[in-house]
Each structure stands twice: as C-alpha cells, then as structure tokens.
Amino acid sequence: MKHSTKLYCLTPQNFMFPWSLGRDGVKFVPGDNIAQLLWPDGSPCWLANLYLLNGFKKGRSRRNQGGTLLTWAKNLSPLLRWCYDTERDFFELEDADFVAFVSYLSEEKRLDKPDTKVRGVNQVRTIASTVMSFFAYIDTLMPGLNLIGPQACIKA
C-alpha cells in the first residue's frame, strides 16, 4: 500500500548542531538540511537518525536541500514503513523478512494508477543497497547483533 505521508524532514536553515562538549562548553557547527527520519506514528527512529548523523559527521552532502543524507532518508523510509506496518523490529529481521521487504518494494502499485508499479528495478536495488548499508552500520554499533553477513540473520 502506498502512503502519502513523508517519514523524513530536514533541519531548518541556520540550525546549529551540537558537535562536541569540552572545557569551554558545547561547540556548535552549521547543521542545516540534515535529514531526520520518523516512524509512521511520528516518533523519531533513533537508529536511522544515528546512521544519518554518521553520514553528516563524515561530510556527506546536504546540498540542494538535503543531498546524500536526504537520499538515504528517502531510501530508508520504505523500510521504516514496512517494519512498522508488519510490526517487525530491525533486530528480529531474518533472510525471509528481507526477501519479503524487497518483494513489497518491487510489487507496490500506485494509488492513482493501480496497474503501475511505484518503483522500477534500479530504484528497488538502490533502496535495498541503502538498507544493507544501514544494517551494516547497526552491526558496527552492536557487534554481537550479527544482523547481516554470511553467517548472520540476513545473508543477502
């Protein structure tokens, strides 16, 4: 099912991001156009936002109103929506769940044109790749989780 509500937003212009804390207090850096992700109920998705902030700290683009970070947020939005709708947690996902998610991406139809798919093959591949990168990031945060890899929960 196609949903119209966006699960992402950008920090406003002139937003100052708290970068570090030292003896002189908090150091702020310009943080406009940092993408943020929300669950469909409007609550923040902390893990996805940590992933996006990691990209921000590595200097990924925020140009043209979001850049790479916004692209990642858009590509992770279907995962958040699918996990929310199917009541699955990132930590519970297995190979069969990832296959079901990719199938959902491939088969979703447009509301205004029920015979037309929402995404082409290349877009599905790009979203799946971003999701795998996100899962790899989660694994770096929680090494014992073993979420993706040859001997992990998701082998894709």
Side-chain angles (χ1 to χ4, degrees):
M1 172 188 274
K2 178 73 176 164
H3 304 276
S4 60
T5 305
K6 292 179 185 177
L7 298 183
Y8 56 88
C9 58
L10 297 174
T11 55
Q13 295 298 319
N14 302 318
F15 177 77
M16 296 301 287
F17 184 79
W19 188 259
S20 63
L21 178 63
R23 292 180 187 211
D24 297 331
V26 179
K27 177 184 175 190
F28 292 89
V29 296
D32 52 289
N33 292 324
I34 300 173
Q36 303 168 72
L37 274 164
L38 306 169
W39 289 104
D41 66 5
S43 62
C45 180
W46 298 109
L47 285 173
N49 286 322
L50 284 173
Y51 176 71
L52 296 171
L53 285 175
N54 185 56
F56 168 67
K57 287 186 174 188
K58 289 182 175 181
R60 298 302 184 258
S61 173
R62 295 174 288 134
R63 291 191 180 113
N64 299 321
Q65 316 222 326
T68 300
L69 298 180
L70 180 59
T71 300
W72 289 354
K74 287 178 179 181
N75 287 340
L76 290 174
S77 290
L79 174 70
L80 271 59
R81 193 174 309 284
W82 184 84
C83 285
Y84 186 86
D85 289 347
T86 60
E87 298 179 356
R88 287 182 172 83
D89 191 286
F90 300 139
F91 308 127
E92 301 169 344
L93 298 178
E94 297 178 353
D95 254 355
D97 297 313
F98 188 72
V99 169
F101 169 67
V102 172
S103 177
Y104 156 78
L105 291 175
S106 300
E107 299 303 319
E108 186 178 15
K109 306 287 186 187
R110 290 180 46 166
L111 289 177
D112 60 340
K113 296 180 183 176
D115 294 335
T116 306
K117 292 183 181 180
V118 172
R119 299 169 193 87
V121 174
N122 289 336
Q123 190 176 11
V124 170
R125 251 188 235 129
T126 299
I127 292 170
S129 175
T130 303
V131 167
M132 295 306 282
S133 175
F134 169 61
F135 288 158
Y137 175 74
I138 292 174
D139 270 347
T140 66
L141 293 178
M142 301 169 208
L145 187 59
N146 204 21
L147 192 55
I148 65 165
Q151 305 300 320
C153 299
I154 299 173
K155 295 165 183 48

